[in-house]
Amino acid sequence: VSFAEKFIERFNFHRFDNLVHLSSKLDPRKHRYDVQKQSTISLLYSATTGDVTALRRFHAQGMDMSQQDYDKRTALHLASAEGHQDCVRYLVENCKVSPTARDRWGFTPLIEAHRFHHKQVVNYLVKYLQDNLPDELEYSMKIMEETQRKEDSRLASSMNDIEKEDEKDEDITLQE
């Protein structure tokens, strides 16, 4: 009986133990990294959907707000890409998530906000980097210019393709 009592003190076997989220008990049904993966997914999902209340709750629980996914993207990358300025501000100012973190493609949160045309987030991050990390701002601005050049080139190429198709259509119409 003593063994069983000590056993249930250490391990989570009762169905209601899951509801209280007792960190002192281990759940033998879960792999040790499942809990970390789930918390990372929840954090990133909250940033993607703009749920600043959930971000506050995770931060208050002591969660590492700089967690990364398999592409090395942080909650700040995702909030920036989706244009959630409240989340971006909270992550940078309160959680101290680095706005200079680079994902596996070398993109920073500023670059993500620029790629997806979120001007308010871009302005906030530029001002923050100017005031706190001017060297990192230079890197992001260089990548943003390259990205803009590529986008402009693709747009010009698409316009040329459309014009060629229009000319072909006119030729066919004239021949008929």
Side-chain angles (χ1 to χ4, degrees), residues 142 144-154:
K142 185 178 118 188
M144 285 171 29
E145 288 171 9
E146 289 175 17
T147 303
Q148 189 65 46
R149 265 196 305 276
K150 288 178 184 176
E151 193 174 301
D152 291 345
S153 174
R154 268 193 299 255

Side-chain angles (χ1 to χ4, degrees), residues 10-26:
R10 177 122 167 100
F11 293 99
N12 170 0
F13 283 108
H14 193 276
R15 73 175 67 209
F16 296 126
D17 284 343
N18 288 334
L19 298 176
V20 244
H21 302 291
L22 295 174
S23 59
S24 61
K25 286 191 172 186
L26 301 173

